[in-house]
Amino acid sequence: MILEVSRGHIKVKVGDRTVTAQGEMFFPGNDKMGFVLYKKSMRFWDAPNQNQIMTIDDIDMVVADIQTDFSTGGHTLEVES
C-alpha cells in the first residue's frame, strides 16, 4: 500500500514494514501522474527494520504493489534498475 508520494520518493507499506524508494515524479500530459522508480534505492527497510536487508523478492513485491496502485488510478510507473 502506498503511504506517501512526493517529487522524489514513494513510501510503501508491505505487511508490518515500510520502505522509502527514491525516484522522480513526472507528468505525462494526460492529467495523470508518472513516477520513475529507482529500484536500486531499495536496499533496507525503513526504521524500526532498518537493519533488515531487502531481498530481491521483497523488492519485486514492493514494485508490484506500486504498479497495482498506479494502474488502478491510470498513472504511469517506470522502473529503473
Side-chain angles (χ1 to χ4, degrees):
M1 164 180 39
I2 295 175
L3 300 176
E4 176 182 307
V5 179
S6 76
R7 294 189 316 173
H9 73 266
I10 294 179
K11 187 171 192 168
V12 180
K13 182 173 184 175
V14 178
D16 62 344
R17 299 178 291 185
T18 61
V19 63
T20 303
Q22 302 303 310
E24 295 179 40
M25 185 184 293
F26 67 92
F27 298 95
N30 57 1
D31 293 331
K32 297 292 181 178
M33 180 184 69
F35 197 87
V36 177
L37 179 72
Y38 302 141
K39 196 172 178 180
K40 287 185 180 179
S41 72
M42 292 185 283
R43 298 186 59 221
F44 296 92
W45 293 99
D46 291 347
N49 301 299
Q50 69 271 19
N51 294 326
Q52 295 179 10
I53 296 173
M54 295 184 73
T55 66
I56 293 170
D57 289 340
D58 291 336
I59 294 168
D60 289 344
M61 183 174 43
V62 169
V63 171
D65 188 61
I66 295 170
Q67 184 62 58
T68 298
D69 282 356
F70 268 51
S71 62
T72 299
H75 304 294
T76 303
L77 180 68
E78 295 179 11
V79 180
E80 287 190 8
S81 296

